[in-house]
Amino acid sequence: MDPDTPREADRRALLKGALALPAIGWPGMAQAAVAADPLTGPGISLALAQRRAAQIARVRYAISLDVTAADRAVGSVVIRFDRVRDSGELVLDFRGTMLTGLEANGVAVPATARRDGHLVLPARVLKTGANSVAARFETPIASAGAAIIRFRDPADGRTYLYTLLVPSDANLLFPCFDQPDLKARIRWDVVAPEGWTVIANGPVAAKTPTGAATRWRFAETVPISTYLAAFAAGPWVGTTSAPAGGQPITLYARHSRAAEVDAETQLATNRAAVRWLADWFGIAYPFAKLDLVLAPAFPFGGMEHVGAVFYNEDRFVFREPPTLPQRLARDQTIYHEISHQWFGDLVTMRWFDDLWLKEGFSTFMAARIQADLQPDSNAWTTFLLSIKTPAYRADATSGTAPLWQSLDNLDAAKSNYGPIVYNKAPAVIKQLAFFVGEDGFRRGLNLFLTRHGYANATWQDLLGAVGEASGIDLAAFGRNYVLRAGLPRIETALTLAQGRIDALVLKQRPESRLPGDPGGAWPMKVRIRLGYHDREDVVLDARFEGAVATVDKAAGLPAPDYVWANDDDQGYGLFMPDDRTVAWIAAHVGSVTDSLLRAMLWSALWDVVRDRRLPPERYLAVLLRELPAERDE
């Protein structure tokens, strides 16, 4: 999922033993245990999710829906699953408006089974091994606040429907076990008005006329999480790309705006992303088909439903020729959502406390893909300014939080959305890739995706796989970047003697003293630039050993004009330049031709102002001097 903007996200606001980390298991257990009714209370609690994950496996849903009415959908569902042991009653989730005919293994279940958005199946109607549950249901269709969103086009009066079930609204649509680690095979069967097109997770298996409507039957999916289930229905106009050595991709838009859609460009961008990711991960596109829907009034930038990505129409359809930033932002959204097909859909987080993992990874990969496929896009400069800078601002405050955040109930999942999840996470993953090296990182991701394909995993599993592939112990990395709030402040200490470097040392400490902070140093690898006006710059890598990184190879080199301790923006922290460098930046920042380096030096100059080492009026003078010549938006 991709938020409209970082600010909008704010508003909406284990492979066991793999790492020597605290044995947190399924976090939040103690808090969930003290709830008044952890199993059948409102929402989906961690305690309920844990219990069900131990009770059942191999889930399947056959969902039949009729969406020909204006304000409601009626349907039926057959749920098949294996009950792995005799473990008492079993709880289903359902918050739709009406439920009838609930049966388990052919035995009627009384209406009293419904409690607070749940359906309690008594142990007497269940058996060890294969089970079947059936029910008829009804759910609203509305312009907002429903699992099925209705959009009536003001231009021509046509109606379009689409679902949005993240994080736990699948049970608002149909009875299900609505937690990410109970993946299921899903078969959609949708009756829609004649002349409409229906798109769902699986390929179309059959279309059958039925009166003034058409029944669309879809092939069963591979195991997917309920929040990734989706369908869209309406008089969509589709454009299909040529297979070109792979499967075709179809892009759907509403009728009144189809002529405005640059379909071939968008299809080519999605196709290029699929090819790039399949090659980079070493794993082919993992699902049976890929459709794209430009959804009007969609509340996010995009949503990565398996095989049916929904994009925000406003990001993709322009009434006037789009500007370069608009085109690059559109492409970033595509790269983000297509990355999710592997990282989030093929392998899914076990619980939404790991939301940061899938979102952070896809944002990092979007920049990685764009930098490779569109080298003139300055993707890493955008990453610094739009992603990392908001992360630094949030992480330097007393109200910051760790990447991993305890979550006792999925009702509270959206409260975890914000700059730490969406901005710090990709910055940390960028440092992880540099810390272990490109080869180890890619091999680790291949191992992670292969080991947990069509299943679920945690951040410990990811670091375990990357550590195993790279041969680098990532226990301290996980403790400091995932479980610890805040960020390091890195100071540069340069000592000169007779016009040459005597010593170059980087020192780190926490930027803020946060309550409960365990202390210690963040593991980090950085790239240091020694800048010269009369010779080639020298770039050296260094690792922190505890709180200090000594750049031994710098000793004896000529005194540089400036030192920048985070070249290529690989590190995560507030990098504070020494006084010599501050003076050089103030005099020469506008002459730096590399956009990423120039952006970092501007940011460093502002940090020095905030640190009260540079008067604000001096900063403003530099700004006003250089701004007229700046050409990078």
Side-chain angles (χ1 to χ4, degrees), residues 561-577:
D561 298 328
Y562 70 95
V563 177
W564 178 240
N566 191 26
D567 198 50
D568 285 347
D569 194 30
Q570 302 289 355
Y572 181 78
L574 293 181
F575 288 82
M576 306 302 297

Side-chain angles (χ1 to χ4, degrees), residues 12 129 132 204 244 246 255 385 438 471 493 507 584-585:
R12 286 198 242 273
S132 176
V204 176
H255 193 277
L385 298 175
E438 176 87 352
K507 300 177 182 179
W584 187 91
I585 295 173

Side-chain angles (χ1 to χ4, degrees), residues 49-95:
Q50 290 176 304
R51 176 181 169 86
R52 288 196 300 215
Q55 286 180 300
I56 63 172
R58 291 173 288 281
V59 184
R60 277 183 153 91
Y61 299 102
I63 307 161
S64 296
L65 275 176
D66 187 321
V67 296
T68 56
D71 60 354
R72 63 191 177 94
V74 294
S76 63
V77 63
V78 176
I79 309 170
R80 302 185 188 280
F81 58 90
D82 286 353
R83 189 168 177 246
V84 297
R85 59 189 176 89
D86 185 4
S87 51
E89 64 187 21
L90 180 64
V91 179
L92 267 168
D93 310 314
F94 182 62
R95 293 182 288 125

Side-chain angles (χ1 to χ4, degrees), residues 472-513:
I472 295 175
D473 183 0
L474 295 175
F477 192 99
R479 284 195 301 269
N480 285 279
Y481 287 102
V482 181
L483 298 178
R484 183 182 184 185
L487 76 167
R489 173 190 178 98
I490 296 93
E491 304 274 2
T492 302
L494 174 68
T495 305
L496 301 176
Q498 298 180 343
R500 292 194 171 269
I501 297 175
D502 184 54
L504 177 58
V505 177
L506 308 180
K507 300 177 182 179
Q508 63 159 282
R509 62 175 174 81
E511 168 61 13
S512 301
R513 294 293 179 182

Side-chain angles (χ1 to χ4, degrees), residues 505-542:
V505 177
L506 308 180
K507 300 177 182 179
Q508 63 159 282
R509 62 175 174 81
E511 168 61 13
S512 301
R513 294 293 179 182
L514 300 173
D517 181 58
W522 281 262
M524 195 183 307
K525 179 183 175 184
V526 293
R527 180 159 285 169
I528 301 121
R529 177 175 292 271
L530 307 178
Y532 297 91
H533 70 278
D534 55 355
R535 55 176 289 171
E536 290 292 320
D537 291 355
V538 175
V539 177
L540 302 169
D541 290 352

Side-chain angles (χ1 to χ4, degrees), residues 281-297:
F281 287 136
I283 296 172
Y285 176 73
F287 302 108
K289 59 92 177 178
L290 177 59
D291 289 329
L292 317 166
V293 178
L294 304 186

Side-chain angles (χ1 to χ4, degrees), residues 217-465:
R217 298 179 185 273
F218 294 88
E220 188 177 63
T221 68
V222 294
I224 67 174
S225 297
T226 47
Y227 80 89
L228 294 169
F231 76 87
W236 305 101
V237 176
T239 303
T240 301
S241 73
Q247 58 199 170
I249 303 174
T250 302
L251 175 71
Y252 294 93
R254 58 174 157 135
H255 193 277
S256 69
R257 302 202 69 182
E260 302 172 57
V261 178
D262 186 2
E264 290 303 326
T265 297
Q266 294 179 31
L267 285 165
T269 304
N270 279 273
R271 194 166 56 243
V274 170
R275 284 200 301 261
W276 192 96
L277 286 158
D279 177 69
W280 203 81
F281 287 136
I283 296 172
Y285 176 73
F287 302 108
K289 59 92 177 178
L290 177 59
D291 289 329
L292 317 166
V293 178
L294 304 186
F298 197 67
F300 300 111
M303 180 61 205
E304 67 272 15
H305 308 116
V306 167
V309 176
F310 293 179
Y311 290 125
N312 184 316
E313 179 190 77
D314 289 340
R315 281 197 179 186
F316 285 73
V317 186
F318 306 104
R319 298 193 185 278
E320 298 176 352
T323 64
L324 176 62
Q326 285 176 317
R327 296 197 305 271
L328 294 178
R330 177 194 64 195
D331 294 347
Q332 281 184 334
T333 300
I334 291 171
Y335 300 145
H336 179 104
E337 301 305 337
I338 299 301
S339 295
H340 271 312
Q341 297 293 308
W342 283 262
F343 213 97
D345 294 6
L346 173 62
V347 179
T348 308
M349 61 194 170
R350 191 164 69 178
W351 189 241
F352 268 82
D353 50 12
D354 267 337
L355 174 68
W356 73 272
L357 189 60
K358 77 180 187 73
E359 294 303 331
F361 190 87
S362 291
T363 297
F364 166 76
M365 288 305 301
R368 181 71 177 76
I369 297 168
Q370 192 161 54
D372 197 30
L373 295 182
Q374 299 172 309
D376 295 333
S377 65
N378 290 333
W380 290 120
T381 304
T382 301
F383 187 85
L384 167 68
L385 298 175
S386 300
I387 303 299
K388 292 189 76 171
T389 299
Y392 290 153
R393 289 173 181 166
D395 218 14
T397 68
S398 59
T400 189
L403 284 179
W404 179 86
Q405 299 175 40
S406 175
L407 182 68
D408 294 336
N409 194 299
L410 290 186
D411 272 2
K414 289 181 181 178
S415 67
N416 281 4
Y417 293 15
I420 296 302
V421 162
Y422 277 97
N423 299 94
K424 179 177 180 177
V428 166
I429 291 169
K430 184 177 184 183
Q431 165 59 196
L432 174 63
F434 189 63
F435 190 78
V436 302
E438 176 87 352
D439 181 64
F441 186 60
R442 286 182 65 178
R443 287 189 291 108
L445 293 178
N446 177 275
L447 178 61
F448 174 78
L449 293 169
T450 303
R451 181 177 282 166
H452 303 285
Y454 305 106
N456 300 82
T458 66
W459 65 268
Q460 291 98 325
D461 295 320
L462 175 67
L463 292 192

